[in-house]
Amino acid sequence: MEKATRDAFGETLLELGRKNDKIVALSADLQDSTKAILFQKEFPERFINTGIAEQDLIGIAAGYALEGFIPYVSSFASFITTRPFDMIRMLACYNNINIKIVATHTGVTVGEDGGSAQMLEDIAIMRALPNMVVLCPADAVETQKMVDGIAEYNGPVYLRLARAKYPVVTDEEKAFEIGKGQILRDGGDVTLVGTGLMVSKALEAAEILAGEGIEARVVNMSSIKPIDRDLLVKCAKETGKIVTLEEHQVIGGLGGAVCEVLSQEYPVPVKIIGVENRFGQSGKPDELLEEYGLDSKSIVGKVKVFIGG
């Protein structure tokens, strides 16, 4: 089964609103695309469309949070991370305010919308901020758990979602916990640490590698900040080499976070697979993944070169 993480967000936000009247939703005129429109239709009195005014989006949400509400604000990642950055930094993070920032349309799989809408720097921007939690679910099932779970967490959260449909690769019965990763496939030759869509690509690559006698462990690192330091050290000790995979720039994203941990706690060789200092471009999602070396075939080739296989 494949399902877009933005769709799971809209459906779960609606259910959350039915259970908790402290949940409010705000959008910068993109609620139809982020799927927050489902909440708007049922709870118009708890929904605000700020128009194309992202600074106001964060400012109003901060006011709601200070009055005891739990605001979920949503827009495209390319707009919600850069245009109101000062508001996010000073209102949400400096004051440690309970705002949930939900960014859709991340990565090159946004597709035909082109490079201006394909946000590839948002993890770097958000994880640099004190107090900010940064999450990127592997699939729609994990998205549902995150949207529910962050309502119970008191503080700012950045939730990175996508337009494209992802395969469901996580277990519905497995609980999500901020700061924890999960081994989805075991192996002793190398560890593939992925986030978002790249978790399913890592699993595809691991299957191909297994056919060539290379056993790759696959880790879903959906909590990028805080990151699961213990799991990373365990994998480094047991497999020796680490490959990170993300639909994001190789600078400042998941790969950087992994290297920061391992360089201090258990240094091993790390290969970062992501977008190599380029902007996105218009095209179909699968074509763009291949163009940027993020498809499973490209991953296999890079892993083999890295481990000398």
Side-chain angles (χ1 to χ4, degrees):
M1 184 185 82
E2 293 190 344
K3 186 173 183 177
T5 52
R6 65 167 176 165
D7 290 329
F9 161 65
E11 295 165 5
T12 309
L13 181 65
L14 175 59
E15 292 301 319
L16 194 57
R18 288 169 176 167
K19 296 183 291 186
N20 187 344
D21 61 9
K22 290 296 184 181
I23 302 293
V24 296
L26 304 89
S27 185
D29 207 32
L30 284 170
Q31 60 271 22
D32 53 340
S33 295
T34 68
K35 304 305 178 182
I37 194 169
L38 301 177
F39 187 99
Q40 180 189 25
K41 287 179 177 178
E42 187 157 333
F43 303 108
E45 74 284 358
R46 284 195 270 153
F47 182 89
I48 292 180
N49 178 8
T50 66
I52 305 173
E54 288 81 3
Q55 291 182 340
D56 291 338
L57 180 70
I58 301 300
I60 294 168
Y64 268 109
L66 290 171
E67 290 299 317
F69 291 92
I70 306 172
Y72 281 71
V73 303
S74 64
S75 186
F76 288 7
S78 56
F79 305 145
I80 205 170
T81 58
T82 56
R83 294 180 176 178
F85 178 76
D86 185 49
M87 302 300 177
I88 295 172
R89 178 176 181 267
M90 294 308 300
L91 293 180
C93 293
Y94 185 80
N95 293 290
N96 202 23
I97 289 176
N98 193 28
I99 298 176
K100 317 306 175 188
I101 300 171
V102 181
T104 67
H105 293 65
T106 61
V108 295
T109 50
V110 173
E112 291 85 350
D113 287 357
S116 63
Q118 294 169 9
M119 189 58 178
L120 304 173
E121 302 82 28
D122 53 317
I123 294 173
I125 293 168
M126 290 294 113
R127 80 179 188 91
L129 291 170
N131 295 323
M132 181 66 83
V133 168
V134 179
L135 306 175
C136 183
D139 58 22
V141 168
E142 192 169 43
T143 301
Q144 179 181 0
K145 297 173 188 175
M146 286 183 176
V147 175
D148 273 333
I150 62 178
E152 304 298 322
Y153 174 82
N154 185 28
V157 175
Y158 179 73
L159 181 57
R160 187 181 206 251
L161 305 180
R163 175 189 189 182
K165 292 183 178 180
Y166 291 6
V168 172
V169 296
T170 62
D171 184 352
E172 290 190 15
E173 303 303 318
K174 179 76 172 179
F176 168 75
E177 184 179 348
I178 291 174
K180 294 296 182 183
Q182 181 184 3
I183 297 174
L184 299 185
R185 177 184 178 125
D186 212 354
D189 295 324
V190 63
T191 298
L192 310 182
V193 182
T195 195
L197 169 65
M198 300 310 294
V199 176
S200 59
K201 295 301 178 185
L203 288 167
E204 291 174 11
E207 188 67 26
I208 297 170
L209 288 165
E212 301 184 25
I214 300 169
E215 293 300 328
R217 179 177 299 182
V218 176
V219 171
N220 170 25
M221 195 60 75
S222 54
S223 181
I224 300 173
K225 184 189 175 187
I227 200 165
D228 195 334
R229 304 176 75 91
D230 291 342
L231 180 56
L232 288 174
V233 171
K234 170 184 167 69
C235 291
K237 289 179 177 179
E238 293 176 355
T239 70
K241 293 184 178 180
I242 304 289
V243 176
T244 66
L245 304 104
E246 58 196 307
E247 201 182 349
H248 183 274
Q249 300 287 359
V250 295
I251 300 168
L254 171 66
V258 169
C259 287
E260 288 162 14
V261 172
L262 294 180
S263 65
Q264 297 176 68
E265 300 196 17
Y266 196 84
V268 296
V270 177
K271 170 68 176 176
I272 301 174
I273 296 178
V275 176
E276 298 278 353
N277 199 30
R278 298 169 61 189
F279 285 104
Q281 58 187 300
S282 184
K284 296 190 179 302
D286 287 343
E287 294 172 345
L288 291 171
L289 288 172
E290 184 176 353
E291 166 68 20
Y292 289 88
L294 301 177
D295 59 303
S296 55
K297 181 179 178 181
S298 297
I299 293 166
V300 167
K302 293 175 182 179
V303 170
K304 288 171 67 178
V305 169
F306 176 59
I307 66 174

